[in-house]
Amino acid sequence: MASGSAFVRRWALAAGLPAVLLLAGCGFHLAGTVRHLPPAMAHTCIQSEEPYGHLENLLRNAIRAHGDVVTESCTDESAVLAITNHTVERRVLAVNAQGQPLQYELDYQVTFSLADAGGKTLLPTATLKLQRQLAYSIYNELGAGRRQDALVADMQREASRLILLRLEALEQGVAAPAKN
């Protein structure tokens, strides 16, 4: 029995290894993964009104995961990723016959820019807008609050991923840098 399972494992490895090598060789990477950040971001400072907020921590961890250094304070040697604004707004989408809310729309907006160590704008101020819908029940307010928090955290994860993809586009020459 042991030799049969060992044969299956060897066969799966022999069949799977060439497929993995082919995918890696053609430049395949998972959608949404960032491969290269601009060289100017080798040392980066994240400037924000909320320096240790969820979005900022996600960005900090992702930049470090690429092997770049995130400094705690902005210096002459560090690029500046500025998060100038991020807000969450909640709008009522539907109400019941008594006028009580049944559904909300959550709007998350983040504004950011990137400058190199010399102050030259690499990515001009850009704004991302994300939306989610939240079903609401007056009988389960605690659960609705937790669900809203989870949706906001999800939008922040998506915003950090989209910001990093825009930064990668700078490295690939897709987005032209702004002129100072």
Side-chain angles (χ1 to χ4, degrees), residues 130-143:
L130 302 167
Q131 293 181 335
R132 298 288 187 274
Q133 292 185 359
L134 170 66
Y136 184 78
S137 170
I138 60 169
Y139 303 110
N140 189 8
E141 289 188 36
L142 183 60

Side-chain angles (χ1 to χ4, degrees), residues 88-92 104-107 134 136 144 148:
V88 178
E89 293 180 0
R90 185 171 81 167
R91 272 194 315 263
V92 175
Y104 288 101
E105 180 176 74
L106 299 175
D107 293 324
L134 170 66
Y136 184 78
Q148 178 175 329

Side-chain angles (χ1 to χ4, degrees), residues 139-154:
Y139 303 110
N140 189 8
E141 289 188 36
L142 183 60
R146 287 182 181 162
R147 178 72 179 137
Q148 178 175 329
D149 293 344
L151 287 172
V152 169
D154 178 59

Side-chain angles (χ1 to χ4, degrees), residues 40-63:
M41 292 185 69
H43 287 79
T44 303
C45 169
I46 298 176
Q47 201 174 57
S48 174
E49 291 179 8
E50 197 177 325
Y52 297 101
H54 187 63
L55 175 67
E56 290 79 1
N57 285 334
L58 290 168
L59 289 167
R60 187 176 292 109
N61 292 338
I63 292 169

